[in-house]
Amino acid sequence: MIARVTDAPGTQEGLTHVRADGTAHMVDVSGKEVTARRATASGMVLLSPAAVAALRGGSVPKGDALGVARVAGIQAVKRTPDLIPLAHPVAVHAVEVDLDVVDEGVRVRAAVRTADRTGIEMEALTAVSVAAANAPSPGAAQPVTAPELAARPRSAPHPESCNELFPN
């Protein structure tokens, strides 16, 4: 995954988590107002036709593999500050992780909401990454496409489900 940060306050380079001397630090968000925030992310687990057929036919040896992956993604959101250096702990108010079997594999989508002083984008990306890592691939390793951050509006109307955020 490639992310571009430009014109952000903080340093000459524009990176808010890097001081002018190049050392990393956690950004001070104490002066920010608490606002409603949401972020959505998506990714794809590429699977063989046999693995897709096993998922569609319900014959995956793991049982409810997509359910396990969904719960793993939700749990990962709550552990994001432990996994991502310098991420702020935020109050997570809602998480949805959807996994859809498509011809190419499994599409993973996550929507995360909070009311806090900082964004929740890393939590959405973490949900997709961990859910994808737990998605099934009977008998073979699966390539996972880089998760993409889809939306991060503040105080936007909150859809009822990921399907509203990611129409087909």
Side-chain angles (χ1 to χ4, degrees), residues 28 45 110 121 139 151:
D28 181 2
V45 180
E121 298 84 11

Side-chain angles (χ1 to χ4, degrees), residues 9 14 16 18 33 53 96 118 130 132-133 135 147 149 162 166:
T16 59
V18 180
E33 294 293 321
E96 284 200 49
T118 189
V130 172
L149 191 62
C162 282
F166 297 98

Side-chain angles (χ1 to χ4, degrees), residues 19-87:
R19 294 181 182 142
D21 67 358
T23 58
H25 72 104
M26 182 177 267
V27 174
D28 181 2
V29 297
S30 62
K32 290 184 168 187
E33 294 293 321
V34 172
T35 59
R37 300 164 185 265
R38 72 176 170 141
T40 57
S42 65
M44 175 72 83
V45 180
L46 304 176
L47 298 173
S48 69
V52 170
L55 284 169
R56 288 183 170 152
S59 61
V60 177
K62 293 181 180 181
D64 184 11
L66 296 180
V68 170
R70 180 178 299 106
V71 171
I74 293 168
Q75 288 295 104
V77 167
K78 298 186 283 184
R79 306 305 301 175
T80 299
D82 296 330
L83 301 169
I84 307 296
L86 308 178

